[in-house]
């Protein structure tokens, strides 16, 4: 690997990572490193610190450049400014490297046996004459094959790191790049060198700025059309990540200009609109973007429109137009609302006498219309109304399919209704290898399809759902439109309710049941109306804190001082942001150290700057159909098999072998963002509300967080964070065109033919 010389006053140390001590929210890492200058002396371990160490794993050999410092509490430490990966040199380094699990098929015992046999020639033997490994007891042809495959991967990743480490690209990203293209049968190094902008379009976790650094280093001109097109697409994708389905042309150009300026400030000098406009036209010509003119309201409260030219990706455009088409299909085949059989059936149910007029209307609407929406806040009787809908369907001999966007929400729906419920993904997707799925699935045979927590439906999942509603079925969407919008793009529930033709029932009466959760319901409605929640000694505790650090410390203290009868699984910490102080990453790190500290009998795996340890609470963040795991499912790590590169995780009663290659989709679950917890309920909820991410502090975020609790809320807030949150009503603002696509038609701007001038005025 390449080596840089230390600057004047700097020192250099080399060694092997022993174990990680701490990783902070800003990626500052503290680890123990065994110095390897002399194999004949006893192990000499020192503490090293710095953000340059983020992503280092036990067993890796490092060359660190920096200076020695003295911490007032922890003593002498090495402050690392630069970190280079090296090949292990010396018996001790080789043994630690092989024992770390980086090479699949070799664990600590096997590493000791191999190194005892081959000493400092071990890596040379593996690389040049691997058949000699068969001399080691326990290594047969099958294990040898796995070791050699893992060794070749490590060499390829190391080669990639050599190319990238001078560009401030973390080793974790190098591994992601290698894994993605190796699985696809492509040469990762060739992609990096020849088509670097493909990285931000194809590899999860690689953004435009990373691709741009690589491309500029490879000699791509700053003003090239290739670079501008990549930036335009990246700006569109970033907006989709924030929930937008499209951008106005002017907004897209401005965001692209900022993206390029942030990556390389000198670029701003050549970024005129006509230059970016030519690149956008090129993208439109080859079908990478779709442009159209749509009428948008001048202001939300005014029924006045003006035409706006917008840009969307084909994926977003297809999702919105497909969803709109099938909404119209369901509305055009609406039921006869005057059919009296539903009323007679409802009157015969014992539940009928307990329904309010609103609830009764909601039940009947579900049966008299092909598409309908039931909405309302907490304590307004959505659950009772929905239970009555299911009971009436069963009484009339109708088949009902129940679904929700997440596993926890589906489980709650099943408990409430007494009938099996599934995630929407599972309802829509055929089991692997099941060719009869279309004829046997609940969706195909359902007379009534009920989707709870519909505010969580993004435009792509909703399009998939509506497309597969069979003729003759009714679809009922149930949800709270005032909650946070979906994690994915769109505002499906809100946009549907903006269409006058969509039948809906909004429950408004709040039921006073005198139970322990009444203060939570009352405060949820206060928040919804912009009023400050009220402290309640047994149901809604509020504690002001001076700093985000104080909030984080109080969260840990609360767990450590909890009553004996309160289980850890009964408490969930929620926060607005993933990163920053008192964000999910920071709180998870602190809570893991407190609740599940390192121990000799607890296996660990290090991934992307995170320590995954036996006993950790985790949550899955994307669907893995290969192993039957869906987004939002929570679990506990039961075991780690380094040789097989798998974690054994109990996901809500089902133990699965989780492949290490998919760990980007697994997060710690001691603390979650409010978005991540949507659709779930917990007995006790701790809400951490610092001012570190003010743009995320919205009224509907606090409302959603509070309504996750069944028994008690603990609100820890910094300074004026609560008032700021109540005043910020912009949480539901996204660029969507679903309402317009349902009610009217858009005019697509055709791509210009070759040789024709572009008619758009930029």
């Amino acid at each position: 690997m390449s080596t840089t010389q230390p600057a004047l006053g700097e020192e250099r140390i080399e060694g092997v990572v022993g174990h990680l001590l701490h990783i902070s929210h800003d990626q500052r890492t503290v680890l123990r490193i065994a110095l390897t200058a002399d194999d004949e002396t006893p192990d000499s371990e020192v503490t090293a610190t710095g953000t340059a160490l983020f992503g280092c794993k036990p067993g890796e050999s490092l060359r660190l450049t920096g200076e020695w410092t003295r911490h007032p509490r922890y003593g002498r430490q090495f402050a690392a400014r630069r970190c280079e990966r090296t090949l292990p040199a010396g018996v001790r380094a080789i043994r630690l490297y092989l024992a770390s699990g980086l090479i699949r098929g070799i664990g600590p015992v096997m590493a000791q046996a191999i190194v005892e046999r081959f000493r400092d020639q071990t890596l040379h033997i593996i690389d040049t004459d691997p058949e000699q490994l068969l001399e080691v007891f326990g290594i047969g042809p099958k294990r040898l094959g796995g070791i050699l495959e893992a060794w070749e991967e490590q060499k390829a990743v190391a080669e990639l790191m050599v190319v990238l480490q001078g560009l401030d690209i973390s080793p974790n990203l190098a591994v992601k790049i290698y894994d993605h293209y190796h699985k696809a049968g492509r040469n990762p190094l060739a992609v990096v060198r020849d088509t670097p902008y493909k990285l931000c379009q194809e590899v999860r976790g690689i953004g435009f700025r990373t691709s741009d650094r690589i491309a500029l280093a490879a000699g791509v001109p700053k003003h090239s059309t290739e670079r501008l097109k990549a930036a335009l697409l990246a700006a569109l994708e970033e907006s989709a990540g924030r929930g937008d389905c499209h951008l106005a042309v002017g907004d897209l150009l401005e965001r692209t200009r900022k993206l390029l300026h942030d990556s390389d400030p000198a670029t701003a000098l050549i970024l005129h609109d006509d230059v970016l406009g030519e690149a956008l036209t090129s993208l439109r010509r080859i079908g990478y973007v779709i442009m159209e003119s749509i009428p948008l309201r001048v202001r939300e409260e005014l029924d006045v429109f003006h035409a706006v030219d917008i840009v969307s990706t084909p994926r977003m455009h297809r999702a919105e137009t497909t969803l709109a088409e099938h909404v119209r299909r369901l509305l055009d085949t609406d039921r006869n609302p005057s059919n009296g059989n539903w009323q007679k059936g409802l009157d015969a149910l014992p539940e009928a006498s307990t329904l309010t007029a609103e609830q009764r209307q909601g039940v009947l609407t579900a049966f008299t219309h092909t598409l309908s929406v039931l909405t309302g806040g907490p304590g307004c009787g959505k659950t009772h109304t929905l239970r009555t809908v299911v009971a009436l369907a069963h009484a009339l001999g109708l088949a009902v399919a129940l679904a929700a966007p997440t596993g926890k929400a589906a489980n709650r729906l099943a408990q409430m209704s007494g009938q099996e419920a599934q995630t929407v993904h599972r309802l829509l997707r055929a089991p692997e290898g099941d060719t009869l799925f279309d004829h046997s699935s609940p969706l195909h045979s359902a007379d009534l399809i009920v989707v709870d927590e519909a505010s969580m439906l993004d435009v792509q999942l909703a399009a998939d759902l509506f497309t597969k509603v069979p003729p003759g079925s009714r679809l009922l969407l149930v949800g709270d439109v005032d909650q946070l919008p979906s994690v994915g793009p769109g505002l499906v529930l809100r946009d549907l309710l903006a269409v006058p033709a969509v039948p809906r029932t909004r429950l408004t009466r709040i039921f006073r049941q005198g139970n322990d959760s009444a203060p939570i319901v009352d405060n949820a409605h206060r928040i919804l109306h912009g009023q400050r929640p009220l402290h309640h000694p047994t149901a809604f505790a509020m504690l002001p804190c001076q700093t985000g650090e104080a909030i984080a410390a109080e969260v840990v203290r609360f767990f450590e001082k909890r009553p004996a009868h309160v289980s850890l699984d009964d408490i969930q910490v929620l926060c607005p942001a993933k990163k920053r102080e008192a964000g999910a990453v920071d709180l998870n790190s602190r809570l893991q150290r407190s609740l599940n500290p390192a121990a000799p009998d607890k296996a660990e795996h290090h991934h992307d700057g995170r320590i995954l340890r036996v006993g950790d609470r985790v949550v899955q963040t994307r669907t893995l159909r290969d192993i039957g795991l869906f987004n939002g499912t929570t679990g506990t790590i039961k075991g780690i098999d380094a040789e097989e590169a798998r974690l054994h995780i109990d996901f809500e009663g089902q133990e699965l072998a989780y492949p290490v290659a998919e760990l980007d989709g697994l997060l710690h679950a001691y603390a979650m963002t409010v978005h991540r917890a949507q659709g779930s309920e917990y007995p006790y909820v701790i809400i951490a509300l610092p001012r570190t991410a003010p743009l995320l502090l919205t009224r509907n975020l606090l409302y959603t967080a509070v309504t996750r609790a069944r028994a008690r809320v603990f609100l820890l807030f910094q300074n004026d964070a609560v008032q700021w949150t109540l005043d910020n009503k912009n949480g539901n603002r996204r660029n969507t065109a679903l309402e317009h696509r349902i009610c009217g038609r858009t005019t697509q701007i055709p791509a210009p033919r070759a040789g024709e001038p572009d008619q758009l005025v930029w």
Side-chain angles (χ1 to χ4, degrees):
M1 297 209 174
S2 59
T3 303
T4 57
Q5 295 299 317
L8 186 63
E10 290 185 324
E11 296 189 60
R12 173 177 291 160
I13 62 173
E14 295 189 26
V16 179
V17 179
H19 57 281
L20 277 68
L21 300 175
H22 175 67
I23 304 169
S24 67
H25 64 93
D26 58 359
Q27 300 188 347
R28 191 180 73 87
T29 302
V30 183
L31 54 79
R32 295 288 286 174
I33 182 169
L35 303 181
T36 54
D38 185 357
D39 277 337
E40 302 305 319
T41 60
D43 287 8
S44 175
E45 276 200 344
V46 299
T47 299
T49 69
T51 56
L53 304 178
F54 180 73
C56 292
K57 301 178 182 179
E60 287 186 322
S61 292
L62 307 179
R63 180 183 296 120
L64 305 182
T65 305
E67 61 183 2
W68 289 101
T69 61
R70 181 164 294 278
H71 190 278
R73 179 176 177 184
Y74 299 111
R76 191 170 184 249
Q77 298 179 341
F78 191 81
R81 294 195 182 94
R82 291 193 301 278
C83 173
E84 300 172 81
R85 267 69 175 178
T86 65
L87 285 176
V91 172
R92 185 195 312 154
I94 294 171
R95 173 174 51 80
L96 292 171
Y97 172 68
L98 293 180
S100 68
L102 291 174
I103 306 297
R104 293 190 305 276
I106 301 179
V109 175
M110 186 59 66
Q112 182 70 29
I114 293 173
V115 173
E116 283 182 357
R117 172 68 179 81
F118 301 112
R119 305 297 293 171
D120 58 359
Q121 294 299 303
T122 297
L123 299 186
H124 178 71
I125 295 295
I126 295 175
D127 198 34
T128 61
D129 191 9
E131 297 293 323
Q132 289 194 48
L133 292 178
L134 295 172
E135 300 172 12
V136 179
F137 179 77
I139 297 182
K142 182 178 179 180
R143 174 170 277 187
L144 177 62
I147 292 172
L148 294 183
E149 181 182 355
W151 174 252
E152 291 302 320
E153 288 182 10
Q154 283 295 311
K155 287 204 302 180
V157 172
E159 184 181 8
L160 198 58
M161 287 181 181
V162 169
V163 174
L164 298 179
Q165 90 179 341
L167 301 175
D168 196 27
I169 309 297
S170 76
N172 288 316
L173 292 186
V175 173
K176 286 182 181 180
I177 293 169
Y178 175 83
D179 286 344
H180 178 86
Y181 290 109
H182 180 68
K183 284 181 186 176
R186 298 166 64 184
N187 184 341
L189 203 54
V191 175
V192 167
R193 286 172 171 165
D194 302 335
T195 55
Y197 288 114
K198 289 288 185 185
L199 299 175
C200 61
Q201 299 164 18
E202 298 175 347
V203 182
R204 184 186 295 270
I206 305 290
F208 173 79
R209 292 167 182 83
T210 298
S211 292
D212 200 39
R213 283 205 302 275
I214 297 171
L216 294 177
V220 175
K222 295 179 180 180
H223 56 277
S224 68
T225 301
E226 177 188 6
R227 183 173 184 242
L228 299 186
K229 288 194 296 186
L232 285 162
L233 290 175
L236 269 182
E237 289 297 336
E238 283 190 7
S239 73
R242 291 189 290 266
D244 294 325
C245 294
H246 65 256
L247 285 177
V249 170
D251 287 344
L252 174 59
L253 299 187
E254 185 57 36
R255 293 189 190 194
T256 302
R257 187 179 290 105
K258 184 178 186 307
L259 191 64
L260 288 164
H261 179 270
D262 290 347
S263 182
D264 179 64
T267 302
L269 298 176
I270 53 93
L271 281 183
H272 302 296
D273 278 1
D274 56 344
V275 176
L276 284 175
E278 290 176 7
L280 183 58
T281 299
S282 176
L283 286 173
R284 180 159 54 98
R285 184 180 291 115
I286 59 179
Y288 276 48
V289 299
I290 292 175
M291 296 182 62
E292 55 195 330
S293 182
I294 66 170
L296 292 179
R297 281 189 174 90
V298 176
R299 287 171 58 189
E300 286 283 334
E301 64 272 18
L302 298 179
D303 199 25
V304 178
F305 295 81
H306 70 99
V308 175
D309 292 337
I310 65 169
V311 185
S312 55
T313 63
R315 174 171 56 95
M316 284 293 100
H317 182 268
R318 183 167 55 250
E320 269 201 335
T321 54
T322 299
L323 178 55
E325 174 189 345
H326 286 279
V327 169
R328 289 196 299 268
R329 170 178 69 88
L330 295 179
L331 293 177
D332 290 344
T333 57
D334 213 351
R335 302 290 171 184
N336 179 8
S338 64
N339 191 330
N341 291 334
W342 310 115
Q343 297 190 41
K344 293 177 182 178
L346 178 58
D347 291 337
L349 290 178
E351 295 93 333
S353 61
T354 64
L355 298 175
T356 66
E358 286 179 337
Q359 292 172 320
R360 183 181 180 88
Q361 183 59 46
V363 173
L364 293 174
T365 301
F367 291 95
T368 57
H369 294 278
T370 306
L371 170 64
S372 62
V373 176
L374 175 66
T375 187
C380 290
K382 289 196 305 296
T383 298
H384 183 50
T385 307
L386 181 51
R387 188 183 294 116
T388 306
V389 168
V390 175
L392 178 56
H394 289 163
L396 297 174
L398 301 179
V400 183
L402 302 179
T406 67
K408 280 189 176 291
N411 290 339
R412 285 176 44 225
L413 182 57
Q415 293 168 4
M416 175 275 298
S417 64
Q419 176 184 322
E420 180 185 2
Q422 305 178 66
T423 64
V424 177
H425 288 92
R426 189 180 292 277
L427 184 69
L428 299 177
R429 301 286 186 267
E432 197 69 28
D434 187 357
T435 57
L436 300 177
F437 176 79
D438 286 341
H439 304 287
S440 61
S441 75
L443 185 65
H444 180 79
S445 58
D447 299 296
L448 174 65
I449 302 163
V450 178
V451 177
D452 197 11
E453 297 290 350
S455 63
M456 298 174 65
L457 290 174
D458 62 64
V459 67
Q460 291 171 287
L461 183 57
D464 205 356
L465 170 67
F466 277 65
T467 300
K468 294 182 179 178
V469 173
S473 294
R474 303 164 186 81
L475 175 61
L476 171 63
L477 302 179
V478 183
D480 186 347
V481 74
D482 294 312
Q483 286 190 17
L484 280 174
S486 58
V487 175
L491 284 169
V492 173
L493 188 60
R494 190 204 69 172
D495 287 348
L496 287 175
L497 290 173
V499 177
V502 174
R504 83 288 306 277
T505 303
R506 177 151 195 160
L507 304 178
T508 57
R509 177 181 169 184
I510 303 174
F511 291 88
R512 307 288 181 183
Q513 299 175 345
N515 57 24
D516 293 339
S517 65
I520 297 176
V521 172
D522 290 343
N523 275 333
H525 286 277
R526 288 182 64 85
I527 292 167
L528 195 57
H529 292 93
Q531 300 171 340
R532 190 180 183 85
L534 301 176
H535 175 84
H536 189 279
T538 61
F540 203 104
M542 298 178 63
L543 180 65
C545 300
Q546 290 298 314
T547 63
E549 169 66 29
I551 290 176
E554 184 63 26
V555 168
V556 174
R557 189 202 65 80
F558 177 86
F559 270 91
E560 292 175 344
K561 301 294 184 182
R562 70 188 184 281
H565 68 276
V566 176
S567 165
L568 288 176
D569 293 336
D570 289 338
I571 309 171
Q572 184 59 57
V573 181
L574 302 180
C575 50
K578 180 180 177 182
K579 299 181 180 179
R580 307 189 187 191
E581 194 173 57
V585 172
D586 182 27
L587 292 171
N588 273 316
S589 177
R590 294 169 185 257
L591 289 169
Q592 183 195 43
R593 292 198 303 274
S594 171
L595 305 176
N596 189 32
D601 61 339
K602 290 181 184 177
E604 295 180 349
H605 181 83
H606 296 254
H607 177 80
D608 203 17
R610 292 177 286 130
I611 304 172
L612 295 164
R613 183 177 296 140
V614 169
D616 277 343
R617 284 168 56 179
V618 290
V619 59
Q620 179 64 14
T621 63
R622 61 175 182 260
T623 297
L624 292 179
R625 295 188 184 88
D626 291 346
I627 60 174
L629 184 59
F630 291 87
N631 185 6
T633 310
T634 55
T636 303
I637 299 176
K638 295 297 184 182
I640 298 175
D641 189 333
E643 294 190 17
E644 294 295 325
R646 294 184 182 279
L647 278 64
H648 296 280
I649 305 177
D650 183 343
F651 283 105
E652 299 174 4
Q654 180 185 16
E655 186 162 314
L656 298 175
Y658 195 103
V660 167
E662 300 293 345
L663 282 177
D664 279 353
L666 193 72
L667 298 177
H668 287 102
Y670 301 105
M672 295 185 195
T673 62
V674 180
H675 253 126
R676 182 67 58 197
Q678 274 188 276
S680 300
E681 282 188 350
Y682 313 91
Y684 305 97
V685 167
I686 304 173
I687 304 172
L689 205 67
R691 276 293 304 267
T692 51
L695 294 180
L696 296 178
L697 300 183
T698 62
R699 186 184 298 180
N700 59 353
L701 178 135
L702 182 57
Y703 171 77
T704 303
V706 166
T707 54
R708 299 310 91 204
R710 289 198 301 268
R712 193 167 186 186
V713 170
F714 299 86
L715 177 58
L716 310 176
F717 60 95
Q718 180 183 357
N719 299 329
D720 58 345
V722 171
Q723 192 58 50
W724 174 279
T725 302
L726 295 173
D727 293 341
N728 185 2
K729 299 186 292 182
N730 295 328
N732 270 341
R733 292 195 176 178
R734 292 181 170 185
N735 293 320
T736 69
L738 180 60
E739 175 191 353
H740 176 72
R741 296 189 196 282
I742 296 171
C743 299
R745 301 284 182 179
T746 60
T747 303
Q748 186 169 330
I749 301 174
R753 297 176 182 176
E756 289 185 351
D758 180 17
Q759 298 302 309
L760 280 179
V761 178
W762 301 103

